Amino acid sequence: MVTQDPLRLGGREFRSRLIVGTGKYPDNATMQRAHEASGAQIVTVAVRRVNLDRTQESLLNYIDESRYTLLPNTAACYTAEDAIRYARLGREVGLSNWVKLEVIGDEKTLYPDTEGLVEATRVLVKEGFVVLPYTNDDVVVAKKLEDAGAAAVMPLGAPIGSGLGIRNPYNIRIILEAVKIPVIVDAGVGTASDAAIAMELGCEGVLMNTAIAGAQDPVAMATAMRYAVEAGRLAYLAGRIPKKLYATASSPLEGMIA
Amino acid sequence: MQLKVNGRMQQGREGLSVTGLLDDLKIHPQRVAVQLNGTILKRERFPEVVLKDGDTVEIITFMAGGAGEGGAAW
């Protein structure tokens, strides 16, 4: 069922609708096992200076690039200019034109600077990038990103790393109705039910890092997230019953003893 | 000559190319991007670009990250 319902993104198809990060794991071996357990096919990476002291092992030793698509992000960029530069550097490193675009507007909330985000999207799309922008749950911005040529729109469910879940499902629903490009919830997920809710709303996928990496058992949580995303997607496709205030009997009244 | 590599001053010999610098630092050129004095160099140009005294070189790769985390690269 799930394999017949691929995620279509940037001209490619993926079996998995879960995108995972590489940050904050207790160690690289745990990350590798969590990635495996998640079933994810896309993993995000940061674009950073090579550590000349070499105290750390290379991250890429722990990611089998024949199995995973690396998605460079522009995390910690606070201007469109910086984000564009990081995207270009990421393309040189990874030889791929995909970018998870972040233009951060505020240090404390890590909310996006949507003005810079739209601007950077426009520039990078013109340069041939497949742009996946992290944005807030604002339909106006989502439409601007679509107009600018983004391959998807990735609204937050809650602040990055907060684990607060999908705080405004109605805003996500409005975005889903307003844009034709895939909507992927990026940030805010804390546990499996949050991921399921995002998928039940009709999102095309969920991107998360901290919820898995920061769990007491990241491998078990990665497994839970895999099932939650699949369950949520199936429930969405199945079509849920409407919510009603009063009971509706599920057993017939006929045949009762008088 | 003096070079600034990833924010650190270091000596380089005359005629050192970008490929030579990466070799000296034991960095495989396959998985890095190089920015020279603010301009990103295409990988194909690493062997031919010769560094000069006072050059600022940034050698960039992929590190662990999800979203929003970590400080800026430089």
Side-chain angles (χ1 to χ4, degrees):
Chain A
M1 179 69 206
V2 172
T3 53
Q4 291 159 8
D5 171 41
L7 167 64
R8 292 188 174 85
L9 194 60
R12 293 179 57 187
E13 288 191 359
F14 300 90
R15 280 189 317 280
S16 171
R17 293 176 175 274
L18 175 57
I19 302 172
V20 296
T22 50
K24 291 187 166 179
Y25 281 93
D27 54 73
N28 284 330
T30 305
M31 177 194 77
Q32 194 172 36
R33 284 187 290 123
H35 285 172
E36 169 90 39
S38 74
Q41 294 172 286
I42 304 174
V43 298
T44 65
V45 291
V47 178
R48 292 289 182 270
R49 273 177 171 164
V50 170
N51 179 0
L52 298 178
D53 296 329
R54 292 306 202 306
T55 45
Q56 297 159 307
E57 284 181 284
S58 169
L59 173 74
L60 297 174
N61 292 342
Y62 292 87
I63 302 172
D64 177 356
E65 290 179 63
S66 66
R67 290 182 53 188
Y68 301 102
T69 296
L70 294 178
L71 177 59
N73 66 38
T74 62
C77 289
Y78 280 80
T79 63
E81 193 190 352
D82 266 357
I84 291 164
R85 189 156 54 107
Y86 275 65
R88 289 171 181 157
L89 286 166
R91 177 164 64 180
E92 289 304 308
V93 177
L95 305 172
S96 144
N97 57 352
W98 284 46
V99 63
K100 182 195 167 203
L101 186 65
E102 292 183 28
V103 182
I104 303 298
D106 176 59
E107 230 171 291
K108 201 165 181 180
T109 58
L110 296 177
Y111 280 150
D113 174 342
T114 54
E115 194 182 351
L117 185 68
V118 173
E119 185 190 331
T121 299
R122 208 171 280 132
V123 170
L124 291 168
V125 166
K126 279 195 190 123
E127 292 182 16
F129 279 88
V130 171
V131 180
L132 308 172
Y134 153 74
T135 183
N136 57 17
D137 56 359
D138 178 338
V139 68
V140 177
V141 177
K143 288 205 284 195
K144 284 184 184 176
L145 291 168
E146 182 176 46
D147 288 346
V153 60
M154 305 210 294
L156 50 82
I160 292 170
S162 69
L164 290 172
I166 313 298
R167 290 206 298 188
N168 197 334
Y170 303 103
N171 275 5
I172 303 286
R173 268 178 64 184
I174 291 169
I175 292 173
L176 282 161
E177 286 186 14
V179 302
K180 293 186 185 70
I181 52 177
V183 177
I184 295 172
V185 163
D186 174 9
V189 165
T191 189
S193 54
D194 299 330
I197 287 168
M199 296 307 295
E200 286 170 19
L201 287 168
C203 293
E204 293 285 337
V206 182
L207 191 158
M208 65 181 77
N209 188 157
T210 310
I212 295 175
Q216 287 187 27
D217 183 341
V219 179
M221 188 57 90
T223 309
M225 291 300 185
R226 174 188 196 150
Y227 290 139
V229 168
E230 288 184 10
R233 179 66 182 174
L234 283 170
Y236 168 72
L237 294 175
R240 61 154 298 152
I241 59 163
K243 290 182 182 177
K244 284 180 287 191
L245 193 55
Y246 293 101
T248 310
S250 50
S251 301
L253 291 176
E254 274 174 45
M256 295 284 287
I257 302 164
Chain B
M1 61 177 176
Q2 281 277 339
L3 300 171
K4 194 174 185 183
V5 181
N6 287 8
R8 183 193 291 180
M9 299 308 293
Q10 71 172 70
Q11 289 294 318
R13 58 184 184 280
E14 292 301 318
L16 184 68
S17 68
V18 171
T19 297
L21 175 66
L22 294 174
D23 276 350
D24 288 356
L25 295 169
K26 297 187 171 51
I27 294 170
H28 199 281
Q30 202 58 39
R31 274 303 186 212
V32 293
V34 172
Q35 179 175 283
L36 174 59
N37 301 326
T39 305
I40 299 169
L41 289 181
K42 288 281 170 200
R43 197 178 306 263
E44 310 82 81
R45 297 198 57 220
F46 290 179
E48 72 192 44
V49 173
V50 174
L51 298 168
K52 300 183 304 296
D53 186 46
D55 275 349
T56 299
V57 184
E58 296 289 349
I59 307 168
I60 304 298
T61 191
F62 289 152
M63 300 288 231
E69 290 140 347
W74 67 87

